[in-house]
Amino acid sequence: MTRVLVAMSGGVDSSVAAALLVEQGCDVVGATMKLFCYGDGPLPDRPCCSLDSIQDARAVADRLGIPHYLLNLEDRFGHDVIENFVSEYARGRTPIPCVRCNSFTKFSDLLAHADALGCDAIATGHYARAQAGSLFRGADRAKDQSYFLWGIRADVVPRMLTPVGGLTKRETRDAARRFGLATAEKAESQEICFVPDGDYAAVLERRLPAAAPALEPGPIVTADGERVGEHAGFARYTIGQRRGLPSGSGKPLYVTAIRPETREVVVGPADALDVWSVALEEVNWLSAEPLAAGARCQVQVRHRAKAVEAEVRAAGPATLELALLEPARAVAPGQSGVLYDGDRVLGGGVIR
C-alpha cells in the first residue's frame, strides 16, 4: 500500500486530493503548513492560510479518517518568501511569492516530513499533472498551475502525486460534494496569502525602513525623458500597469520600465510593452537534459499569458537567453519565465 503525505491547505482542491487518494486505497496522512504569523487582531475570511483553514483541513481529515499534522514553517517562509518579496519590490522588480514558496519552502519541507513519516510520495491539490517523473500542465487550462512549479527540485517530481490535475474545477467541486467534505463550497483563494486585503504596499511600508527610496515620490517619464507626472513610490508599480497613470495625448499609457536608481517610472503606449527577447536567471531544470543554444521551446512570462515560441540564444549554468519568434507583452523583471515543450514543463527561471 502506498503511503502518501498530502499537503492540505484547507481549500477544496487539496481536500479532494486527499479524498481521492483514500478512495484509491492509499495510506494517507494529511499535513497543513503554518507559513506566517496570523497576529492577534481579527483575521479576514480567507480560503487558505488562516486559522480557520487549519480547522477546515482538520475537519476534512477527520471526515476521511486520516491523521493530520500541523507543520510550522514560519521561519523558513519568512526568510525565503516574505523577505524576498520586500527586497524585490525595493529593487523595482515584481516577485511571485507562490513560486518562491513552492521552490524553497513547501515541497522540500513536505518531502522531508514525508521521509520522516515513512511516506512513499507527497501529494498536493495543484492543477498540474505529475506523470512518469515529468510535470505537465493541468487538464483544466483555465486553472493550470504548472507555471508556479518550475522551481521545485527535479528529484521531487518522481515522488509527486497530483490527484486533481486531470480534473476540471467543476469536477473537483462535484467530487467534494460526493465525499461530503466541509470545503466543498469554499471560495477560491485569489490573493497572496500574507497580503489578504490585496494591499501589498502596506506590507512594504511595514517592513522597509523609513524613507525607503522605493516608497518615496518620483517622476513619471516617457521613454525620451519627458516628465508627465509624479508617483508616490515606484514599488507601487509593475510593468504593464495602466492604473494610476496620466493619459498621454488621449491614448492610454502603460508602465514600460522602472528605474530604481533614479526613482523613475517610465510609461509609453501599449505597443511599447512588446519584447522580442527574454533573459532568465536562477534557472532550474525539471527535464533530464537542459536546453542548449539553438534549441526550441515555448516560454510563458506571466501566469495568464500565452506561451510563445522561442529559441535559446545562450545558456549558462543558471542563466538562459531566449530569442522570441513572436513578441511577448509586459515582461517584468522578477516574474517567472517558464519553459514548455507542449504541455511538459522543462524548467524555468526568474526574468532578469
Side-chain angles (χ1 to χ4, degrees), residues 7 14 30 38 61 75 93 99 140 142 168 173 181 205 223 250 254-255 268 295 311 324 330 352:
S14 59
Y38 303 127
D75 288 345
R93 292 158 61 91
V99 169
D140 188 340
T168 64
R173 292 277 186 198
L181 304 183
E205 290 167 355
Y254 300 82
V255 176
E311 180 177 306
L324 307 184
R352 190 165 61 219

Side-chain angles (χ1 to χ4, degrees), residues 6 11-21 24 123-130 137-140 143-145 161-173 175-176 179 181:
V6 182
V12 63
D13 302 324
S14 59
S15 298
V16 170
L20 290 172
L21 291 169
Q24 292 167 18
T124 73
H126 283 97
Y127 285 90
R129 292 172 293 149
R137 290 188 184 275
D140 188 340
K143 297 297 180 184
D144 173 44
Q145 293 173 304
L161 299 175
T162 51
V164 304
L167 304 179
T168 64
K169 186 72 178 192
R170 175 176 291 184
E171 290 169 335
T172 300
R173 292 277 186 198
F179 288 119
L181 304 183

